[in-house]
Amino acid sequence: MRYNVVEGPSPGPLYSHAANLQIYGNVFTGPSGGVYASHSATLFNNVFHAMPEAVAGGQIVAHNNVFDLLSPSDQAFGATTSLEESHNLFATGTPTAGSFGGEPSFVDAAGGNFRLAADSDCVDA
C-alpha cells in the first residue's frame, strides 16, 4: 500500500492478514483506529495524524514515520507480536528507543498538505 491519503472519519484505515505487507508514503488522518496487520508489515515514510493509535498487529517494522496523534496519552504502537522501529518522529506521546520527539511542521495540515516545511524536526533526522 503506497502513496495514499486515507481520511477519517472511519473505524480504521487498514485491517490485513497478509504477510510481508509493505506500507509506505501514505497519510492517515482522522480515523478512529489504526493500521492493523495481523501477520507482518513494514511501514516507512508514513504520516499518522489525528488518530488515537497508529499501528498494531503481528511482526511490525516501522522506520521514518511521523506520529502526530490526538493527545499525549495516545500510543503510536498498540499490541504487537514483535516491534522493530527507529527514526520515527513522535509529535505527541513519549518516543520509543531509537526514535525522537519533535515538531513535524507540516506545510498546512488543516488544509490537507502534509509535506514537511523546511523547519521540520524530521528534515535530515
Side-chain angles (χ1 to χ4, degrees):
M1 178 180 182
R2 58 187 175 166
Y3 309 125
N4 296 285
V5 175
V6 180
E7 295 179 302
S10 67
L14 177 68
Y15 190 96
S16 175
H17 294 294
N20 303 316
L21 187 62
Q22 301 282 311
I23 302 170
Y24 58 94
N26 300 286
V27 174
F28 301 98
T29 179
S32 61
V35 168
Y36 183 82
S38 67
H39 196 286
S40 59
T42 300
L43 298 94
F44 53 97
N45 300 333
N46 297 289
V47 172
F48 297 91
H49 175 73
M51 46 196 303
E53 178 181 273
V55 183
Q59 299 170 340
I60 304 298
V61 176
H63 301 291
N64 302 322
N65 298 287
V66 175
F67 297 105
D68 186 15
L69 306 178
L70 285 172
S71 74
S73 63
D74 292 332
Q75 298 291 321
F77 301 104
T80 62
T81 303
S82 68
L83 175 63
E84 173 192 321
E85 65 87 26
S86 68
H87 299 91
N88 297 299
L89 179 129
F90 288 76
T92 54
T94 304
T96 52
S99 290
F100 58 100
E103 186 59 45
S105 299
F106 300 120
V107 170
D108 181 14
N113 187 343
F114 290 93
R115 289 182 308 146
L116 301 175
D119 64 341
S120 171
D121 290 335
C122 295
V123 175
D124 295 329

